[in-house]
Amino acid sequence: MTDPVFATEDGADVVLLMRAHRRLRDLAVQLEVAPFADQTAATMRAYLDEDAAPAQDAFARWAALPQAVRDKLAARMRQEQP
């Protein structure tokens, strides 16, 4: 049996969730350092416009997977983070 990959066979949801996670980490830093800066607002707006809805959909698909599959994918995602 092959590794389960959700949504698409090429693992697009995993890539999307990892990208959204990175962008949210960067946004969290900006919110701590300069919460009212124009750049922080622009970063937040860009995330909401570009990644929020697709990431929410991908997360819903991930959450619908069996726990064992989610655990395996989460471990893989942690290993692939820079």
Side-chain angles (χ1 to χ4, degrees):
M1 186 172 142
T2 60
D3 281 345
V5 177
F6 56 108
T8 60
E9 289 301 315
D10 63 357
D13 277 351
V14 172
V15 172
L16 194 151
L17 289 172
M18 290 175 67
R19 184 180 67 226
H21 185 258
R22 276 192 299 274
R23 287 189 75 178
L24 287 172
R25 265 193 322 213
D26 293 344
L27 178 58
V29 169
Q30 288 182 11
L31 286 168
E32 287 182 19
V33 174
F36 304 108
D38 290 340
Q39 182 58 41
T40 302
T43 300
M44 187 180 306
R45 229 175 270 112
Y47 172 77
L48 292 172
D49 290 344
E50 299 164 13
D51 288 335
Q56 185 176 12
D57 293 342
F59 183 80
R61 288 187 293 272
W62 179 82
L65 293 170
Q67 182 68 44
V69 175
R70 290 194 318 257
D71 291 346
K72 187 174 186 176
L73 288 169
R76 184 187 312 161
M77 288 168 66
R78 281 191 296 274
Q79 289 175 350
E80 293 178 5
Q81 285 183 345

